Amino acid sequence: MDESATSRNFTADETRDNLIFVLSVYIPLDLVIITGNALVLFLIRQTRSYDKPQFVLLGSLAFVDLLTGIIAVPMFMWGCILRRSFYLQEFDKCELQFLPAKICVSVSWFHLMLITVDRYVSIMKPLHYHKLITLHRTYFSIILSWIVAFLFGILQLFWEMEHIDEGIFFCYKMNESAIEVQRYISLVLVPTGTILVSFMYFRMFIVVKKLEKNIVIIPVRTRNIVRKRYKAAKTSALIVGAFAIAYLPHALRPVVYSFGYQRSDVYWYDLIAEVLFIMSSAVNPFIYVCRLKQFSSALRHFLQINSHKQKQRLVDKDVHPTAQLQITYSSPRKKCVFSSSEMI
């Protein structure tokens, strides 16, 4: 996905190793992404939390991660296989397959900004939270994040592309000017967003620490609200931190290549950086279930119901068919119960 590194043709053994790595790592990772985020959306529906801005944002982020697993990761795998294919001489130029991943990651980044703002207002402006953060504004922000991320992702398509192969690979070389424009936008937005998010979390934790010192004189109800919002802020901080850790190795690739390394010299770093690039979509569902009581309780309740139903089916199968049918006869003097086996 970077043009800053010089490339060479890979040998047949390297191509085989790349294919094995892609299939053995990305397929299980994709299954975890799809299953985990589908479960999160199901739990949000079960808990009926979709009328709260916080859970609307989390549900929307889970939906983005689900699309990442359904669309972006398979396309990403296709691009990874083509890029190190000995069938194509210019394998490093196949960029079109990475477009869905760029869009999904961009939407996720904007969602993390929105989640941070939501938590910031809930702690810094608790009395005005319901006036400032409404469902209408939340849905509008989500739609706007999709529009901006989509335009950023397809920015490369505004310039003319070069069709490299005439076969089945669907390989296109992106225009260098388009890539440069996209890179400059990233260099402005990503550091700015990172600084803003860091500043907001720093302010939140400072305020909560001050409240904890005076928690004895705070009413019990207000104390519980403060603790819940502080826990929600820590949860969103974990989500943002997981995304930052996953994105950092990929962001450092131009720095690594600036020292004169070729792509073949940092082969495994390149592969692992790309895996981590989409790893946060698989980690987020575990953070939701472990940190949010609503999700963990709903999941536990769902599993208990399914376990009870399964045990009931086993009990019903073990009962003899002739003992299941019972006829009850009541009279003024006594009550008689005849089973089907006794009647025979």
Side-chain angles (χ1 to χ4, degrees):
M1 297 171 61
D2 260 308
E3 306 296 333
S4 53
T6 57
S7 60
R8 65 172 177 81
N9 287 328
F10 282 82
T11 64
D13 290 338
E14 289 174 326
T15 302
R16 181 200 61 198
D17 294 342
N18 174 70
L19 181 62
I20 293 174
F21 179 85
V22 169
L23 295 179
S24 60
V25 173
Y26 280 97
I27 291 179
L29 179 63
D30 196 27
L31 292 176
V32 172
I33 292 173
I34 294 174
T35 305
N37 288 285
L39 178 62
V40 168
L41 293 174
F42 172 77
L43 293 178
I44 290 177
R45 181 176 177 81
Q46 289 295 108
T47 55
R48 299 184 182 278
S49 302
Y50 39 78
D51 58 342
K52 301 177 182 178
Q54 175 191 357
F55 291 101
V56 169
L57 290 171
L58 291 179
S60 182
L61 180 59
F63 178 71
V64 176
D65 291 336
L66 182 62
L67 289 181
T68 301
I70 294 175
I71 300 175
V73 174
M75 293 288 289
F76 200 94
M77 292 171 58
W78 182 17
C80 288
I81 293 172
L82 287 185
R83 196 181 56 200
R84 293 184 177 86
S85 172
F86 54 82
Y87 295 108
L88 293 174
Q89 293 182 353
E90 295 186 80
F91 50 83
D92 274 336
K93 308 300 182 182
C94 296
E95 289 284 335
L96 195 61
Q97 285 77 8
F98 299 101
L99 195 61
K102 288 182 179 181
I103 294 174
C104 289
V105 170
S106 300
V107 177
S108 298
W109 185 79
F110 283 119
H111 273 67
L112 294 177
M113 292 287 293
L114 295 175
I115 290 172
T116 303
V117 171
D118 173 77
R119 293 298 88 207
Y120 181 80
V121 175
S122 69
I123 291 177
M124 304 299 294
K125 304 286 184 180
L127 299 178
H128 303 284
Y129 174 76
H130 295 290
K131 293 182 179 180
L132 296 174
I133 308 296
T134 62
L135 282 177
H136 177 73
R137 291 176 179 176
T138 302
Y139 286 121
F140 176 78
S141 301
I142 290 172
I143 294 172
L144 184 63
S145 69
W146 270 102
I147 294 173
V148 175
F150 183 77
L151 291 176
F152 172 77
I154 66 171
L155 189 63
Q156 299 173 354
L157 304 182
F158 294 156
W159 280 262
E160 185 178 357
M161 298 180 297
E162 179 185 348
H163 193 186
I164 294 177
D165 72 289
E166 299 296 336
I168 62 174
F169 297 105
F170 203 63
C171 185
Y172 284 85
K173 178 183 177 181
M174 296 296 176
N175 189 286
E176 292 290 340
S177 300
I179 295 175
E180 285 298 322
V181 170
Q182 200 173 48
R183 187 175 294 145
Y184 285 134
I185 293 175
S186 300
L187 288 176
V188 173
L189 291 182
V190 174
T192 304
T194 303
I195 293 172
L196 288 175
V197 167
S198 302
F199 173 76
M200 284 189 283
Y201 278 115
F202 178 76
R203 288 287 309 276
M204 282 189 282
F205 292 140
I206 291 296
V207 169
V208 171
K209 288 297 181 183
K210 290 182 179 179
L211 290 175
E212 285 183 344
K213 292 181 181 179
N214 302 321
I215 202 159
V216 178
I217 60 176
I218 297 177
V220 176
R221 183 178 178 182
T222 307
R223 191 185 310 169
N224 292 334
I225 293 174
V226 170
R227 285 174 175 170
K228 287 181 180 179
R229 289 179 176 174
Y230 181 48
K231 185 177 180 180
K234 288 196 293 185
T235 301
S236 59
L238 285 174
I239 298 171
V240 173
F243 181 86
I245 293 172
Y247 183 74
L248 184 62
H250 178 79
L252 292 177
R253 290 166 69 191
V255 178
V256 174
Y257 295 145
S258 66
F259 288 99
Y261 291 105
Q262 295 185 2
R263 217 182 268 272
S264 57
D265 298 328
V266 289
Y267 177 70
W268 286 106
Y269 174 85
D270 201 27
L271 290 177
I272 294 173
E274 290 173 345
V275 171
L276 292 176
F277 186 64
I278 57 175
M279 182 69 77
S280 61
S281 297
V283 175
N284 287 341
F286 294 98
I287 298 177
Y288 300 151
V289 173
C290 294
R291 295 287 305 175
L292 297 176
K293 186 177 180 181
Q294 295 93 327
F295 288 0
S296 58
S297 300
L299 179 60
R300 197 179 306 112
H301 181 67
F302 175 72
L303 295 176
Q304 288 175 352
I305 290 176
N306 284 349
S307 177
H308 177 72
K309 288 181 178 179
Q310 188 175 5
K311 290 179 181 179
Q312 189 63 37
R313 291 193 195 101
L314 294 175
V315 170
D316 293 341
K317 288 181 180 179
D318 291 338
V319 177
H320 195 274
T322 59
Q324 293 179 4
L325 178 61
Q326 291 186 342
I327 300 177
T328 304
Y329 169 72
S330 300
S331 66
R333 295 183 179 181
K334 63 179 179 179
K335 181 179 180 181
C336 302
V337 179
F338 300 96
S339 66
S340 56
S341 57
E342 291 174 346
M343 294 173 65
I344 296 173

